[in-house]
């Protein structure tokens, strides 16, 4: 009964208004109809109660686990939401869950779209940053000359990165822009260097492709800027290549200028034709050009230098064969100038010495001769006035010689053709001959004035002109003395004939008289007979040169025959000749006594 009472209490606590209570009531009625005992009914009601409690517990546990899962999921999403907000750097107020949501599912429903939005934004930021970092790493790799980088690894590294803020993107973009500017500057510098290398290779005639490939293969054969290497090693390689090419250009330029200088000298020396020079006009232009002005392609190539060297070698060989002719031609020109001015050329350039000197330094020899020609022309101008007077004096001497021959002609008064012309010439010659002494005196005065001005003796064909003139004055005085003696001798002969006529009483026949005169003349000229010997003209022993030292060139007439007879074997040099200054001055001093104050000066 106690159990029944318990059952009664349990059953009394059950509300029969609920579906469960209705079912218990229906179950009790069925058990009553069946005849179940009250103890069995209570036992079965307890079993039903335990079964219900087990089911409730399962439901509670299941609900509790679900609640815990929802809480954990909500916490995870909220934590992820906070992490995304922190990494992205967005405004936190926008991504907060509304406080009006009290249930977990409402909160999860509110958090999920925010989380999805932030995840999408995160992926976008990761791609954006990854793209920027990929470009940065690529440019860095180009600048650092490293190989291709594993950019996927860079993106994977970014997925774990917690800083996806716009500030970081701005910093990366700024870094990318700086790197792009550096890349552009480097690329521009590479292009400038490559253009300079191209220009130098063109001037030097070198292979541009092979030259830049030695620095880096990407510098030739591609037009892509991305494929052009811009690393430090490439820039350094280009810099060293440019320095090397400039040094080579300078070396070749100096070598070519030296060759071209020789070429110009050979052209001027050989008097090469314009057509022959035109072939090397481009190369010859380097002589007056600076290193920066040399830009013509191939002008400093090894081929151009070799061709110029070959041309110099060819002209040098040609010069050796023509130099002798050219030097001898200049020597003849010097001799003509000296001959016209009656000066002696420098014996150091005599033809027999030229042959020995022409192989050692023909250019110097030629220049020496040209200098001598210039000096000879210059001195001939200073001698012009005196030389004109000498020519007039020699012309007067020629007229004197002709007059003497004319006076000895027995048929000069005949009525032959041209006799009247000879008479007129004879009258003019007599007047001119009378002026010869004054001509000589004026010449001596002019010569002394010239010597005082230049402080060197005036040489005529290697002999001092004053000595020649004073010698001529002395010879003329001796001739006048001879003529006077001859006249006295004729007078004496006439007296002897008169005495014989008185003794013998008749005149000798003209034939005998002529024979006697001839014998007397021979007798006197041989120095036989007392009182009729013609004295030998004495030489000038002081104040003038001896006849053996006189070397005037030949002229017509008796004075010119005198010059021929007294021609010196060795010519005395002019003031620019090989003779020493002491010898010239000693000769000048030895004949200085012929000045007007000298006792040998004849008035």
């Amino acid at each position: 009964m106690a159990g029944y009472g318990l059952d009664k209490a349990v059953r009394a606590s059950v509300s029969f208004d609920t579906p469960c209570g209705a079912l218990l009531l229906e179950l009790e009625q069925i058990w009553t109809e069946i005849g179940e005992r009250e103890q069995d009914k209570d036992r079965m009601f307890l079993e039903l109660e335990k079964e219900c409690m087990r089911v409730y517990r399962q439901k509670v546990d299941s609900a509790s686990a679900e609640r815990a899962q929802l809480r954990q999921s909500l916490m995870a999403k909220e934590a992820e939401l906070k992490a995304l907000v922190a990494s992205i750097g967005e405004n936190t107020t926008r991504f907060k869950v509304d406080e009006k949501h009290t249930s977990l599912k409402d909160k999860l429903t509110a958090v999920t779209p925010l989380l999805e939005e932030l995840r999408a934004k995160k992926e976008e930021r990761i791609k954006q940053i990854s793209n920027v970092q990929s470009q940065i790493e690529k440019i860095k790799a180009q600048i650092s000359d490293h190989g291709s980088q594993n950019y996927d690894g860079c993106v994977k590294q970014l997925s774990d990165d917690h800083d996806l803020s716009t500030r970081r993107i701005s910093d990366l973009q700024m870094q990318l822009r700086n790197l792009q500017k550096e890349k552009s500057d480097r690329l521009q510098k590479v292009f400038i260097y490559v253009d300079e290398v191209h220009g130098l290779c063109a001037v030097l005639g070198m292979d541009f492709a092979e030259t830049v490939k030695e620095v880096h293969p990407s510098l030739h054969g591609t037009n892509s800027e991305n494929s052009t290497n811009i690393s430090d090693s490439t820039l350094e390689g280009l810099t060293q290549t440019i320095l090397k090419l400039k040094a080579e250009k300078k070396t070749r330029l100096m070598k070519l200028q030296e060759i071209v200088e020789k070429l110009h000298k050979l052209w001027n020396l050989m008097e090469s034709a314009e057509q022959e020079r035109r072939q090397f006009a481009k190369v010859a232009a380097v002589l007056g050009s600076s290193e920066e002005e040399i830009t013509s392609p191939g002008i400093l190539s090894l081929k151009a230098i070799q061709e110029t060297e070959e041309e110099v070698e060819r002209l040098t060989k040609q010069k050796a064969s023509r130099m002798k002719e050219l030097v001898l031609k200049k020597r003849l020109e010097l001799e003509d100038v000296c001959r016209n001015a009656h000066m002696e050329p420098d014996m150091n350039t005599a033809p027999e010495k030229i042959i020995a000197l022409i192989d050692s330094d023909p250019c110097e020899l030629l220049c020496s001769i040209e200098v001598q020609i210039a000096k000879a022309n210059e001195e001939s101008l200073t001698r012009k006035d005196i030389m004109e007077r000498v020519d007039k004096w020699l012309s007067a001497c020629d007229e004197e010689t002709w007059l003497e021959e004319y006076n000895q002609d027995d048929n000069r008064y005949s009525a032959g053709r041209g006799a009247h012309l000879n008479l007129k010439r004879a009258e003019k010659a007599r007047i001119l001959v009378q002026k010869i002494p004054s001509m000589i005196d004026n010449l001596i005065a002019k010569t002394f004035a010239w010597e005082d001005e230049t402080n060197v003796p005036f040489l005529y064909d290697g002999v001092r002109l004053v000595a020649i003139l004073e010698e001529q004055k002395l010879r003329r005085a001796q001739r006048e003395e001879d003529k006077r003696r001859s006249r006295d001798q004729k007078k004496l002969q006439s007296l002897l004939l008169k005495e014989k006529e008185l003794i013998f009483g008749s005149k000798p026949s003209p034939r005998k008289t002529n024979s006697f005169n001839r014998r007397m003349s021979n007798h006197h000229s041989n120095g036989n007979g007392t009182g009729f010997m013609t004295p030998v003209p004495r030489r000038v022993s002081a104040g003038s040169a001896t006849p053996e030292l006189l070397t005037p060139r030949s002229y017509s007439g008796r004075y010119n025959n005198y010059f021929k007879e007294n021609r010196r074997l060795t010519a005395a040099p002019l003031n620019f000749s090989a003779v020493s200054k002491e010898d010239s001055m000693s000769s000048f001093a030895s004949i200085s006594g012929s000045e007007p104050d000298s006792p040998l000066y004849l008035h």
Side-chain angles (χ1 to χ4, degrees), residues 130-161:
S130 177
N131 184 30
V132 174
Q133 282 190 338
S134 175
Q135 296 181 48
I136 290 174
E137 294 301 324
K138 186 176 180 179
I139 296 176
K140 284 183 177 180
Q142 291 176 346
I143 293 175
S144 62
D145 197 23
H146 291 162
S148 61
Q149 301 293 325
N150 186 4
Y151 300 111
D152 294 338
C154 294
V155 176
K156 185 177 181 180
Q157 185 180 2
L158 287 174
S159 64
D160 299 332
D161 202 340

Side-chain angles (χ1 to χ4, degrees), residues 21 63 100 162 186 391 418 437 473 500 598:
K100 68 180 181 178
H162 299 290
R186 283 172 173 264
D391 291 339
K473 284 183 65 176
K500 287 183 178 181
S598 173

Side-chain angles (χ1 to χ4, degrees), residues 406 409-423:
Y406 176 77
D409 186 6
D410 295 336
N411 299 323
R412 61 183 178 276
Y413 299 116
S414 63
R417 181 180 297 177
H420 65 290
L421 298 177
N422 290 333
L423 286 173

Side-chain angles (χ1 to χ4, degrees), residues 440-451:
I440 294 176
D441 293 338
N442 291 334
L443 260 177
I444 292 175
K446 285 284 184 181
T447 305
F448 277 133
W450 186 91
E451 290 178 346

Side-chain angles (χ1 to χ4, degrees), residues 207-423:
D207 190 347
F208 166 71
E210 292 297 328
T211 302
V212 294
K213 281 181 180 179
E214 291 179 359
V215 179
H216 198 277
S218 67
L219 299 178
H220 182 72
T222 178
N223 295 324
S224 176
E225 294 183 359
N226 293 329
S227 60
T228 302
N229 190 279
I230 57 173
S231 64
D232 292 337
S233 61
T234 299
L235 291 173
E236 180 65 22
L238 287 173
T239 303
Q240 294 299 324
T241 300
I242 290 173
L243 293 176
K244 180 180 177 182
L245 292 176
K246 284 185 176 180
E248 181 67 18
K249 178 181 179 181
K250 184 176 181 180
T251 302
R252 291 191 186 184
L253 179 61
M254 292 176 62
K255 182 177 181 181
L256 186 60
Q257 285 179 340
E258 183 179 352
I259 297 172
V260 169
E261 187 176 358
K262 294 179 181 178
L263 186 63
H264 272 289
K265 289 182 180 179
L266 289 171
W267 279 344
N268 297 332
L269 190 62
M270 305 284 291
E271 297 180 353
S272 300
E274 185 64 27
Q275 183 177 1
E276 185 178 354
R277 299 188 183 195
R278 195 179 298 117
Q279 298 177 359
F280 294 88
K282 183 179 177 182
V283 177
V286 304
L287 191 59
S289 303
S290 63
E291 187 176 350
E292 291 75 15
E293 295 173 345
I294 306 299
T295 57
S296 300
I299 193 171
L300 296 180
S301 63
L302 294 176
K303 181 180 179 182
I305 295 176
Q306 183 179 0
E307 289 177 352
T308 310
E309 285 180 336
E310 291 175 354
E311 179 67 10
V312 170
E313 184 177 357
R314 184 185 70 83
L315 290 176
T316 302
K317 292 180 180 179
Q318 204 174 71
K319 179 194 71 173
S321 60
R322 293 178 55 188
M323 183 58 72
K324 179 179 178 181
E325 178 184 352
L326 187 60
V327 171
L328 291 176
K329 179 181 177 182
K330 290 293 183 180
R331 171 65 187 186
L332 290 176
E333 182 180 350
L334 175 62
E335 290 180 354
D336 288 340
V337 173
C338 293
R339 185 183 302 109
N340 293 332
H342 292 274
M343 299 183 297
E344 289 295 321
D346 190 352
M347 295 308 295
N348 287 332
T349 57
E352 59 273 9
K353 293 185 178 180
I354 288 177
I355 305 302
L357 296 174
I358 198 170
D359 294 330
S360 59
D361 195 350
C363 294
E364 184 178 354
L365 179 61
L366 186 63
C367 291
S368 176
I369 296 177
E370 289 177 348
V371 169
Q372 293 176 26
I373 292 174
K375 287 183 178 180
N377 286 324
E378 182 180 356
E379 185 159 348
S380 65
L381 292 177
T382 64
R383 296 163 56 97
K384 183 177 179 181
D385 183 42
I386 296 177
M387 293 305 302
E388 288 177 352
R389 293 175 180 270
V390 170
D391 291 339
K392 291 180 181 179
W393 167 57
L394 293 176
S395 177
C397 292
D398 290 339
E399 289 298 304
E400 183 181 21
T401 302
W402 178 86
L403 183 61
E404 289 181 355
E405 294 176 354
Y406 176 77
N407 290 333
Q408 294 176 2
D409 186 6
D410 295 336
N411 299 323
R412 61 183 178 276
Y413 299 116
S414 63
R417 181 180 297 177
H420 65 290
L421 298 177
N422 290 333
L423 286 173

